Amino acid sequence: PQRQYEIQPAALELHPSGELYVLDALQNAVFVFTPQLELARTLQLSQFGGERSLRLTDLAFSPDGKRLYVVDELRGDLCIVE
């Protein structure tokens, strides 16, 4: 689908289901792709707990794959997405 900006990956993480999660720090979003590399959904992360995100730098999954962790380096925060 058309987007205003192209995705500029800052970090990649493969979910146990085979979906690829791509962190775009400039758009404060995580783009989720199917194993066939089709865009499945977008997670907007412009705010952590009511505060504006500053620099999203990395992401990882919990060992069971049920939680996504996203790091905001400048604020020193960890966002947990279930």
Side-chain angles (χ1 to χ4, degrees):
Q2 290 185 339
R3 289 180 292 286
Q4 185 174 359
Y5 304 104
E6 291 185 21
I7 298 172
Q8 297 185 23
L12 306 170
E13 188 71 27
L14 190 61
H15 189 270
S17 70
E19 289 180 316
L20 178 65
Y21 283 61
V22 179
L23 172 65
D24 185 326
L26 296 177
Q27 297 186 60
N28 285 332
V30 176
F31 296 91
V32 183
F33 293 89
T34 66
Q36 294 76 32
L37 297 180
E38 297 170 349
L39 183 62
R41 62 190 172 284
T42 303
L43 307 173
Q44 288 299 138
L45 300 174
S46 58
Q47 293 189 340
F48 284 3
E51 303 267 338
R52 187 173 183 282
S53 300
L54 297 177
R55 185 192 296 170
L56 304 179
T57 57
D58 205 359
L59 60 128
F61 287 102
S62 61
D64 61 8
K66 293 183 180 180
R67 288 181 211 87
L68 173 66
Y69 303 109
V70 183
V71 176
D72 186 326
E73 180 181 59
L74 288 181
R75 291 194 59 233
D77 282 347
L78 177 68
C79 176
I80 302 172
V81 182
E82 294 193 55

